[in-house]
Every structure is written in C-alpha cells, then in structure tokens.
Amino acid sequence: MSVSATAPGKIILFGEHAVVYGRPAIAAQVNQVQVKATVEQSPTEFTIRALNLNRTELYSDLDLSDPLGVIIRLVLQTLGESAAPRATLTISSSIPIASGLGSGAAVSTAIARALALYFGEELDPATLSRMVYEVERIYHGTPSGIDNTVIAYERPVYFKRGVHESDPSTIRLLDVPVPFRIAIADTGVASPTKAAVGDVRRKWEAERAEYEAYFDRCGEIAFHAYHLIESGRPFELGPLMNDNHHVLQRMGVSSPELDRLVEAARQAGAAGAKLSGAGRGGNMIALVTEATEGIVNEALLNAGARRVIVTTVCE
Ligand code: PMV
C-alpha cells in the first residue's frame, strides 16, 4: 500500500512580524510550490527519507526534538496509534528553505496528511493546524500561527493571534470575489525566521513605544487590505503594500537585496511591492496584472532575483 499527500507554500501579503504581537495579518497559499509526502508499506521499521536534505533515518533513531519526529508522534497520538507503521515515509519539496514561503509548516502538514491517510483517516484543518503549530514552535520560538493556519486550510486567511490564553486566535477564511496576481521573487538569501523574529523582539523591548506604533500601523494596513480584498477591489492594494514595506524597513527587517527587487518591481509597473515573511532575505512580492506580469518578471530577474513565481490569489 502507498498513499501520498501534498501541502502548498504560502506568502504573507500583509502584517508579518506585527502578527506575532496580536495585530492582524493576511496570508495566502501558493500552489506553484509544494511538499509531497508518500507513505509506503515496507517490511522494515518506520523509515524517513527526506530527499532534499539527503537524509534517511529510522524514526526510532530521531532525536525527541527533531521536527520530523515531533509531527509523526503527534499524528500517532491523535489517531490513537500505539506504534509507527512498518513503512517508509518519503518527503520531497519544491519550497526553498528559510525563504518565507512556509517550507517548515508545509513539510509538517504534508507528513501529517499522508500518515493519517495511511491509517485511513483524514485530519480536519483545525486539528492539522494545531499539530503543525506545535512543530513550528521548535523552529521559530514564538510563531504567530499564521503559517500553519494558511497551509492547513489552503485558503487565503485573515489571521489575528490571541496573545493571552483566554483570547483565542481569530481565523477568517477570506472571500476573494476578484482574484488577483502576485509575483513572488526570491533574493536567494536564506534568512531563518527565528533570527529575524528574535531581533524584532529585542528592539521592541528596547523601544516599546516606537515598535508598538509600527505594529499598529501594520495592523491598520492589514485591516484595510482585508476590506479591499473582500469587496472585490484588490487592484487598489498596491499603495498598502508600499506602505507596509516602508514600515518593515523602519523595523529593520528589509535588506539591500529585498529593497532592490521591490524598487525594480515598482519601476517596471507593479502597482505595489513589499518583502514577504520574516525579511532580511527570502522572498518579496509584487502586485501585477496580466498586462504587467511579463515586464515585472523580467525586471525582477534583471535585478538579481533567483526565481520568480506568479500566483493567483483566490479562494
Ligand atoms: O516563516 P516566515 O518567514 O514567513 O515568517 C513568518 C512571519 C512572521 O510574522 C515574521 C513570524 C510569525 O510567526 O508570524
């Protein structure tokens, strides 16, 4: 027996970093990149092959804090299975690591889906998202929960983290009556989320009033963007993307490579552009149309982008 499952990548459209501090943010799935997990029956004990990492290991040999081991253990627990199956789990991914496209959350999501399917079960998005969040905590320290949410639901989401135990996170699956196109360009600079999030925290601790004001502004932008998207006016999002990028620059999470690509996209006719995700490297996004997509792509590649993907944001 062999079963497979996939999980998409993601982009943050508005509100990264501020979302960790309880402000709203918007993210969307990116189906052009994905993780695939396959579980195939085998005579040997449970073995994990992570093709991109060139890793083959027995589940029983994994360190207790290894993210691959943690998600497997959570799935077995949730399904009430006492032992891992005699099978091989193979994972392959087209999502670059540490680039703001949600690679970690997508790996966990695809594994959880495939393993559950192997036991004849389908995990609902809320359960899946909760399990993936547990793993995200190992990668990130203080994840907001937006990555696991958008990847588990595979829908654009408006997300607000509950900052206290008694205050649950708000997840609103977005209505997108008018789909819109986003070009995603990779700086080629790997940037671990944990480091950027940690730096912002240190600065926030040192300059609370200033950073609280940045977060408030990001939250207002995300809220405004949410109304534009839901009311079918996505082509007006450009200035909000530019504003959001400006605030992220002030927060110290942009980089010369990101700024160069953002500028190139705007000059080539994108209606707006910003970094996406933790920043410092990774990917930036630009609002394009059928008419501007080609020229913006070319400008991004000329300005040093390693790869450009165009995705359509839709339900
Ligand atoms: O995983 P990334 O690089 O897309 O970053 C996630 C966005 C942050 O807001 C910076 C962190 C978080 O947990 O929301």
Side-chain angles (χ1 to χ4, degrees), residues 264-293:
R266 289 178 189 155
Q267 295 225 341
K274 63 182 279 291
L275 70 83
S276 177
R280 297 275 166 75
N283 281 270
M284 55 73 69
I285 57 175
L287 181 63
V288 294
T289 61
E290 208 177 339
T292 59
E293 173 184 329

Side-chain angles (χ1 to χ4, degrees), residues 15-299:
E16 49 275 273
H17 287 291
V19 66
V20 174
Y21 299 82
R23 272 55 163 204
I26 299 177
Q29 76 281 19
V30 177
N31 294 319
Q32 284 82 350
V33 287
Q34 64 170 21
V35 174
K36 182 175 180 195
T38 301
V39 182
E40 192 172 10
Q41 199 169 18
S42 81
T44 55
E45 68 172 289
F46 197 42
T47 305
I48 297 142
R49 292 168 62 220
L51 298 184
N52 301 66
L53 302 177
N54 251 328
R55 251 178 92 179
T56 299
E57 273 173 272
L58 293 178
Y59 170 61
S60 57
D61 285 346
L62 290 183
D63 198 87
L64 271 185
S65 64
D66 188 304
L68 298 181
V70 174
I71 190 69
I72 292 165
R73 212 164 46 242
L74 283 169
V75 174
L76 295 175
Q77 265 169 19
T78 304
L79 299 180
E81 295 290 335
S82 54
R86 287 193 166 275
T88 297
L89 163 68
T90 305
I91 308 147
S92 62
S93 173
S94 59
I95 310 179
I97 294 171
S99 70
L101 293 184
S103 140
V107 167
S108 302
T109 304
I111 291 176
R113 283 187 174 140
L115 192 54
L117 271 183
Y118 190 81
F119 288 108
E121 305 271 348
E122 212 167 307
L123 298 168
D124 64 88
T127 307
L128 189 54
S129 179
R130 255 197 314 277
M131 292 195 297
V132 176
Y133 180 72
E134 288 307 311
V135 187
E136 289 290 285
R137 280 166 47 157
I138 300 172
Y139 283 113
H140 287 194
T142 53
S144 64
I146 194 169
D147 277 25
N148 46 287
T149 302
V150 65
I151 290 173
Y153 284 86
E154 298 188 84
R155 283 275 306 270
V157 295
Y158 177 79
F159 177 90
K160 191 166 168 298
R161 177 188 186 197
V163 277
H164 304 293
E165 279 294 307
S166 56
D167 169 24
S169 296
T170 308
I171 299 168
R172 197 188 141 93
L173 303 180
L174 279 178
D175 293 328
V176 189
V178 178
F180 54 101
R181 289 176 199 230
I182 295 284
I184 308 166
D186 195 344
T187 58
V189 179
S191 168
T193 302
K194 196 171 180 170
V197 170
D199 279 356
V200 171
R201 181 162 298 270
R202 275 183 290 280
K203 289 185 187 160
W204 169 71
E205 278 162 0
E207 306 280 353
R208 284 227 180 195
E210 185 183 342
Y211 275 74
E212 284 291 326
Y214 293 149
F215 300 152
D216 281 344
R217 181 66 196 130
C218 293
E220 283 161 17
I221 292 170
F223 186 66
H224 188 177
Y226 153 74
H227 283 292
L228 288 178
I229 293 169
E230 287 226 323
S231 61
R233 293 155 62 201
F235 306 116
E236 295 172 39
L237 291 172
L240 292 178
M241 293 173 77
N242 293 339
D243 282 358
N244 200 164
H245 186 69
H246 185 65
V247 182
L248 290 161
Q249 282 177 316
R250 307 270 302 266
M251 283 163 53
V253 292
S254 193
S255 71
E257 293 84 0
L258 284 164
D259 289 343
R260 189 172 338 118
L261 296 183
V262 163
E263 197 47 45
R266 289 178 189 155
Q267 295 225 341
K274 63 182 279 291
L275 70 83
S276 177
R280 297 275 166 75
N283 281 270
M284 55 73 69
I285 57 175
L287 181 63
V288 294
T289 61
E290 208 177 339
T292 59
E293 173 184 329
I295 185 149
V296 171
N297 271 9
E298 202 183 311

